[in-house]
Amino acid sequence: MRRLYNSSAGNRHLDIGPGTGYFVDKCRFPTKTPELTLLDLNSECLDMSAGRLARYRPAICQANLMEPLPLPSRHFDSAAMNLVFHTIPGGWDTKGIILKHVAETLRPGGVLFGTTVLAEGVPMNRLTSKMVLEQHRRGNFQNQGDDPAGLERQLAKYFPEYRVTIRGAVAIFTATAG
Ligand SMILES: C[S@@+](CC[C@H](N)C(=O)[O-])C[C@H]1O[C@@H](n2cnc3c(N)ncnc32)[C@H](O)[C@@H]1O
């Protein structure tokens, strides 16, 4: 994930679901003064990541990805969305709309990159299956039915170019805005 950040993050960067801010903190941006925006539904994640990344004076956006985003359109060079999709319920046909909302914020040629844990159509050993089932039981993962084909179908709807790589049960995706 750190390699993905270093190779894909642009100077005007939107970080979606930044968690603790760890990956953004470690990222080597193209310049020392990136223009950073952090977006999350949860104010605690925003407070924690904004504190960690205070040196960049990040803009904060508390918003629901399932709705159009209150951000400028065709603005960002890059958007990262790591380990977010598998926490959102509804299957690809419902949560695919998030890709539309994110694509609208990217400038032409801007890049979305991210990762998500899949639950179907990927190799899983017994330990991984057990872990995924346990995360479903706890409600932490909402990725029942999430497969690589569904992710590709949704990326193809909103991005002219995309790539999905499967590593174990994790999909790593990059997509370029038109
Ligand atoms: C597992 S964390 C992401 C971790 C982080 N990206 C990292 O790599 O360390 C998932 C994040 O997505 C956010 N999230 C989940 N559903 C969301 C939604 N509908 N809109 C906005 N943020 C959402 C959660 O609040 C949470 O902060």
Side-chain angles (χ1 to χ4, degrees):
M1 278 169 63
R2 286 183 60 185
R3 275 204 299 276
L4 188 61
Y5 265 91
N6 289 341
S7 61
S8 311
N11 214 45
R12 271 187 183 169
H13 177 73
L14 170 63
D15 214 83
I16 298 168
T20 63
Y22 172 86
F23 288 101
V24 185
D25 190 23
K26 298 290 176 195
C27 177
R28 286 195 301 269
F29 286 97
T31 73
K32 287 203 169 17
T33 52
E35 181 193 302
L36 180 64
T37 300
L38 307 173
L39 181 148
D40 207 294
L41 193 54
N42 182 322
S43 61
E44 283 178 28
C45 293
L46 288 172
D47 289 347
M48 181 178 235
S49 53
R52 188 174 203 160
L53 300 163
R55 66 187 184 281
Y56 294 135
R57 299 173 186 267
I60 303 301
C61 177
Q62 187 169 15
N64 185 350
L65 290 162
M66 295 299 293
E67 291 161 12
L69 300 175
L71 289 171
S73 56
R74 298 162 75 88
H75 178 75
F76 294 98
D77 299 320
S78 59
M81 193 174 164
N82 281 288
L83 306 178
V84 175
F85 265 129
H86 66 251
T87 69
I88 298 179
W92 287 127
D93 287 340
T94 301
K95 59 191 173 186
I97 195 71
I98 290 170
L99 292 168
K100 176 175 190 285
H101 299 153
V102 176
E104 285 166 356
T105 71
L106 289 169
R107 66 160 172 81
V111 173
L112 165 68
F113 61 96
T115 49
T116 186
V117 182
L118 301 175
E120 295 285 337
V122 285
M124 276 199 218
N125 60 29
R126 274 176 53 194
L127 194 63
T128 310
S129 304
K130 216 169 140 187
M131 184 278 287
V132 169
L133 285 176
E134 178 60 18
Q135 295 301 328
H136 288 165
R137 197 185 62 76
R138 293 184 191 193
N140 295 335
F141 282 15
Q142 307 271 0
N143 62 351
Q144 293 89 336
D146 284 8
D147 61 355
L151 173 59
E152 292 201 22
R153 214 169 39 246
Q154 296 301 326
L155 285 166
K157 268 195 205 174
Y158 306 111
F159 291 87
E161 281 175 43
Y162 64 90
R163 183 189 165 113
V164 176
T165 307
I166 303 298
R167 202 57 93 70
V170 175
I172 303 165
F173 54 91
T174 54
T176 307

